[in-house]
Amino acid sequence: MFQINDNYQKLPGSYLFSTIAKKVAAFTAANPDKTIIRLGIGDVTQPLAPAILAAMHKAVDEMGCAETFHGYAPDLGYDFLRRAIAENDYRARGCDIEEDEIFVSDGAKSDSANIQEIFAAESRIAVCDPVYPVYVDSNAMAGRTGTYDKETERWSNVIYMPCTAENGFVPEFPEETPDLIYLCLPNNPTGTTFTKSKLQEWVDYANRVGAVILYDGAYEAYISEPDVAHSIYECSGAKTCAIELKSFSKNAGFTGVRLGYAVVPKELKCGDVSLRNMWARRHGTKFNGAPYIVQRAGEAVYSREGKAQLKEQVAYYMKNAAAIKEGLKKSGYTVFGGVNAPYIWLKTPSGTTSWEFFDRLLENANVVGTPGAGFGPSGEGYFRLTAFGSYENTLAALERIQKM
């Protein structure tokens, strides 16, 4: 008889955002007259920028002509997109990243879940706590995390790096030595980040202990402070210890279009084995490439018009973030984030768990957020709100919360 991957049975409950969706659906069914404002999942709401739409329309027309039709995309992605990425995201910032070190994908979520496949099953992972759930869940599915303790909400083989108000939500070097270190900066869910000099310390640490940093830079476009790095490759020595994952979802509104990329430098090796070549083998075997139309849309992100239009879009969301942060502070909440990321991380009222606050917010204000406990043990007592709604809905949600 066939057997299943028992590691899936070890996972606690359903995926965080699936649980939230079920709760919201049940509330909506019971209260059809209520208007829900969603500030939970980090999904954008503004339409695609005109420059991106124009590029997509042109690419669609090309697909209708035999002379310009495109089938399977190249394994790494089309040259035109990888060239634009290398020039704008790296060389313009002084980072020496070559085009054949860039692997175009359908998004950072997929890459962050799949990248663990090229590492040994016994590898120890270190994650910030709270953390984006995909990092831990994907390693659990691979059998790398040990057993789950419902009481502590921790996996036995995961190295947790608590990020709390006491340490400014900045992880400290773990006592145990990890093989893989997941860093998401600016951070999801706390909305906080740290300086380039602090990031350099992590690069030096990884090189010293022989670990690989899996660096999720999905929110790079929202960085506003000058001493925060836009890429880990701005740090000396990063090419021998870091893989960077980037997304077009949050900077260009591609959550429904799907596009991202991973950078695996040639200098990153395990002995004589190139991780870049391993990822290329995995990528070519399991992925057929992002569509031509989508990659042309991605190229338009780097056009002069695209940059200007997306700068306005990012500013729109950060205006929402500022409104939420200031409004909650005036109402007596303790809040973090909202400066270099479109997330607000707020402390729940004393004696209220994060899931209790979720229920209270949904029932009394008809507003959806994300319980901090869903991101890890250190997330308990906190709550995440996103700035990706419309400005009008953001203000309406804030008003509802203030009246609670």
Side-chain angles (χ1 to χ4, degrees):
M1 182 177 177
F2 70 88
Q3 300 294 313
I4 62 170
N5 181 350
D6 284 334
N7 294 314
Y8 279 70
Q9 306 308 305
K10 300 176 184 177
L11 291 166
S14 60
Y15 182 56
L16 170 61
F17 296 105
S18 298
T19 301
I20 291 173
K22 291 175 183 177
K23 277 179 165 284
V24 174
F27 179 84
T28 301
N31 301 273
D33 58 319
K34 303 292 185 182
T35 302
I36 304 295
I37 299 179
R38 301 172 188 269
L39 300 181
I41 191 170
D43 194 3
V44 297
T45 55
Q46 293 298 294
L48 294 173
I52 294 170
L53 278 180
M56 293 183 78
H57 282 300
K58 182 174 184 296
V60 168
D61 289 339
E62 290 177 6
M63 294 294 283
C65 299
E67 295 78 12
T68 53
F69 174 80
H70 289 78
Y72 289 124
D75 282 354
L76 274 64
Y78 284 101
D79 290 344
F80 60 78
L81 179 56
R82 290 187 292 113
R83 186 163 50 246
I85 292 170
E87 184 59 40
N88 290 275
D89 288 349
Y90 296 102
R91 292 170 193 153
R93 297 189 176 117
C95 305
D96 182 23
I97 296 297
E98 299 179 27
E99 292 165 26
D100 61 357
E101 296 173 315
I102 297 169
F103 297 81
V104 176
S105 70
D106 62 354
K109 180 179 182 179
S110 299
D111 286 342
S112 64
N114 295 330
I115 196 68
Q116 50 82 24
E117 291 187 25
I118 66 174
F119 297 99
E122 62 269 20
S123 299
R124 293 289 305 279
I125 70 167
V127 297
C128 295
D129 174 27
V131 68
Y132 181 45
V134 172
Y135 307 152
V136 176
D137 287 1
S138 58
N139 278 281
M141 292 171 178
R144 194 175 284 115
T145 55
T147 57
Y148 184 74
D149 187 328
K150 291 183 179 179
E151 293 297 321
T152 63
E153 298 182 328
R154 291 173 179 263
W155 293 89
S156 62
N157 205 40
V158 173
I159 300 171
Y160 291 90
M161 302 182 292
C163 297
T164 64
E166 288 69 30
N167 62 15
F169 300 101
V170 174
E172 299 170 2
F173 299 139
E175 293 182 4
E176 300 176 84
T177 302
D179 299 299
L180 308 176
I181 303 168
Y182 286 83
L183 292 180
C184 177
L185 297 169
N187 186 258
N188 175 18
T190 67
T192 59
T193 190
F194 47 74
T195 63
K196 181 179 176 180
S197 61
K198 176 60 69 172
L199 184 58
Q200 181 66 62
E201 292 178 15
W202 277 93
V203 169
D204 294 340
Y205 168 79
N207 277 318
R208 186 167 66 251
V209 303
V212 174
I213 296 174
L214 303 174
Y215 189 82
D216 186 344
Y219 300 94
E220 169 272 322
Y222 294 85
I223 293 172
S224 63
E225 296 179 321
D227 60 345
V228 177
H230 288 257
S231 167
I232 195 170
Y233 301 118
E234 293 178 41
C235 296
S236 175
K239 293 181 71 175
T240 58
C241 72
I243 292 172
E244 185 161 279
L245 313 176
K246 287 286 187 72
S247 169
F248 287 77
S249 288
K250 305 309 193 302
N251 69 322
F254 279 34
T255 53
V257 177
R258 307 309 306 150
L259 189 66
Y261 65 87
V263 176
V264 188
K266 296 172 185 174
E267 290 92 329
L268 183 54
K269 296 182 178 181
C270 180
D272 294 328
V273 179
S274 164
L275 268 66
R276 183 261 171 213
N277 291 346
M278 289 184 68
W279 186 243
R281 184 68 172 85
R282 190 267 173 205
H283 208 60
T285 300
K286 294 191 174 185
F287 185 61
N288 260 342
Y292 172 74
I293 296 166
V294 173
Q295 293 198 46
R296 279 298 186 190
E299 180 189 30
V301 167
Y302 300 102
S303 67
R304 184 177 62 181
E305 297 82 1
K307 288 179 180 178
Q309 292 161 9
L310 294 179
K311 185 177 180 180
E312 291 182 4
Q313 204 166 85
V314 167
Y316 179 93
Y317 291 130
M318 291 309 289
K319 181 182 178 182
N320 290 348
I324 297 171
K325 185 170 187 177
E326 292 308 309
L328 291 177
K329 286 173 65 176
K330 289 179 181 178
S331 297
Y333 288 92
T334 300
V335 295
F336 307 90
V339 176
N340 294 298
Y343 292 123
I344 302 298
W345 188 242
L346 66 100
K347 192 168 180 58
T348 60
S350 179
T352 306
T353 69
S354 57
W355 277 107
E356 287 172 346
F357 189 71
F358 172 89
D359 291 335
R360 183 187 302 178
L361 205 64
L362 179 59
E363 293 169 7
N364 298 329
N366 307 147
V367 172
V368 178
T370 309
F375 297 102
S378 293
E380 183 54 87
Y382 290 90
F383 201 79
R384 193 193 76 173
L385 294 174
T386 83
F388 286 123
S390 69
Y391 185 63
E392 294 74 20
N393 278 348
T394 297
L395 294 184
L398 185 59
E399 184 178 356
R400 292 182 187 183
I401 295 171
Q402 291 170 328
K403 289 180 179 179
M404 282 176 49

